[in-house]
Amino acid sequence: MPARSRARKRAVDILYEADQRSGASTADDRPVTPASVLAERLLHPGAQTAVPGYAVEIVEGVVAHTERIDEVLATFSQGWTLDRMPAVDRAILRMGAWEVLYNHDVDDAVAIDEAVTLAKELSTDSSPDFVNGLLGRISDLGSALVE
């Protein structure tokens, strides 16, 4: 698996973990957020290898733009609220939306393909089509969606 693909998978893992633990608190009573999970993984990677730099960039980018990313996803996910989506799909879509909207070093088609591949590996049978359609629509509108 190429390095950027591994980094994307790791970023999705961190975003997913934060989503799943969002009602909990850290040891010092701060709420669990993607930033706090990332900080934990950077200090204590556990059985995994160190967090790749591009995974850090993705998570930090998603954190910096979460409000707008979630607004865009909610606007264009016809018939699906963010809360109704599987948590892994939310993590994949947040990563993909950040790459499409904010990371101009990655071609939109590559970002979408990588997100679809992760949806195939990690989620339901219908998730790849959903991820492809939603990120494709976001890509079509592109810079008009970035405030």
Side-chain angles (χ1 to χ4, degrees), residues 101-120:
L101 294 173
Y102 297 100
N103 187 355
H104 305 297
D105 294 335
V106 175
D107 186 65
D108 287 1
V110 172
I112 294 168
D113 184 60
E114 290 279 339
V116 168
T117 298
L118 284 169
K120 286 178 185 174

Side-chain angles (χ1 to χ4, degrees), residues 19-77:
D19 194 9
Q20 291 300 292
R21 293 175 51 201
S22 64
S25 297
T26 61
D28 56 359
D29 284 336
R30 289 178 299 148
V32 174
T33 64
S36 67
V37 173
L38 176 61
E40 285 176 34
R41 295 298 156 261
L42 289 171
L43 285 174
H44 308 287
Q48 298 177 332
T49 59
V51 178
Y54 189 58
V56 173
E57 184 180 345
I58 292 168
V59 174
E60 288 176 344
V62 169
V63 167
H65 300 286
T66 295
E67 189 174 318
R68 183 62 182 153
I69 288 169
D70 284 357
E71 183 181 313
V72 168
L73 291 173
T75 299
F76 294 102
S77 59

